[in-house]
Amino acid sequence: DPATGRIKQYTPDDGLAAVSPHVALRDREGTLWFGALKGLSRLIPPPDRVEPPPPVFIGGLRIAGESYPVSDFGQSEVGSLELKPSQNQMNIDFFGLDLTVGEPLRYQYKLEGAGKDWSPPTEQRTVELSLGPGSYRFLVRAVRVDGTQSETPAAVSFRILPHFWQR
């Protein structure tokens, strides 16, 4: 859209031929035409729908190599964990749900208590943490290619106790 600068990407999932086009045109009615060596594709773009933001969930949690119980359907919040000093290594798995066609979701996360801001968007759905004593809150949000983000990030809240000689 030249007026907004918004770009929408179309793929074979939208009905285009799987070959790379050599030419692309738009006619007066808004139909898109793509010419390739092996043929011509015509795409009549549907009107843009406003999709709800993608929800995001915690799908798995491993603390010091041991699985922590998380619902098979994912949880938006896992909280109030009090961990021993030896339980300072953690793997957090997460996933988002998106019914739009096209690009996969990307994810941003941050760790409150460690002074970090949101990470750059990534397609990875697991984070590995190794932390010292303190109180932390891990937040993750799903991000679509158009920039739409989860309304509410999924969270894991926990506290790693210091060694007894540090208390």
Side-chain angles (χ1 to χ4, degrees):
D1 184 354
T4 64
R6 184 171 175 260
I7 297 173
K8 185 168 182 177
Q9 184 175 359
Y10 295 102
T11 68
D13 292 336
D14 297 301
L16 294 178
V19 293
S20 299
H22 290 278
V23 65
L25 300 168
R26 180 176 177 247
D27 66 22
R28 286 184 216 122
E29 285 81 37
T31 301
L32 301 174
W33 297 87
F34 300 93
L37 287 176
K38 294 188 177 184
L40 183 67
S41 291
R42 182 181 91 168
L43 177 68
I44 301 171
D48 286 340
R49 294 186 314 170
V50 177
E51 297 290 337
V56 65
F57 301 95
I58 303 299
L61 183 59
R62 286 175 305 289
I63 301 168
E66 298 290 323
S67 290
Y68 182 84
V70 174
S71 169
D72 290 339
F73 301 107
Q75 292 178 221
S76 57
E77 182 102 22
V78 177
S80 302
L81 303 177
E82 191 163 285
L83 307 176
K84 299 174 190 172
S86 61
Q87 295 177 307
N88 66 336
Q89 301 233 339
M90 184 179 293
N91 289 65
I92 303 172
D93 302 327
F94 42 86
F95 64 93
L97 299 177
D98 192 20
L99 300 178
T100 60
V101 177
E103 293 290 316
L105 286 175
R106 293 178 184 248
Y107 300 91
Q108 288 183 297
Y109 55 86
K110 71 177 176 176
L111 185 62
E112 292 178 348
K116 295 187 177 183
D117 203 8
W118 290 104
S119 69
T122 179
E123 290 183 21
Q124 291 186 353
R125 298 184 305 136
T126 297
V127 169
E128 187 174 324
L129 303 172
S130 181
L131 302 164
S135 294
Y136 301 96
R137 188 162 185 242
F138 174 83
L139 300 168
V140 62
R141 64 186 178 194
V143 182
R144 282 196 196 111
V145 73
D146 68 2
T148 305
Q149 302 171 356
S150 303
E151 283 182 351
T152 305
V156 179
S157 301
F158 57 98
R159 179 175 175 230
I160 300 173
L161 297 172
H163 291 278
F164 73 90
W165 65 83
Q166 294 173 320
R167 298 181 198 170

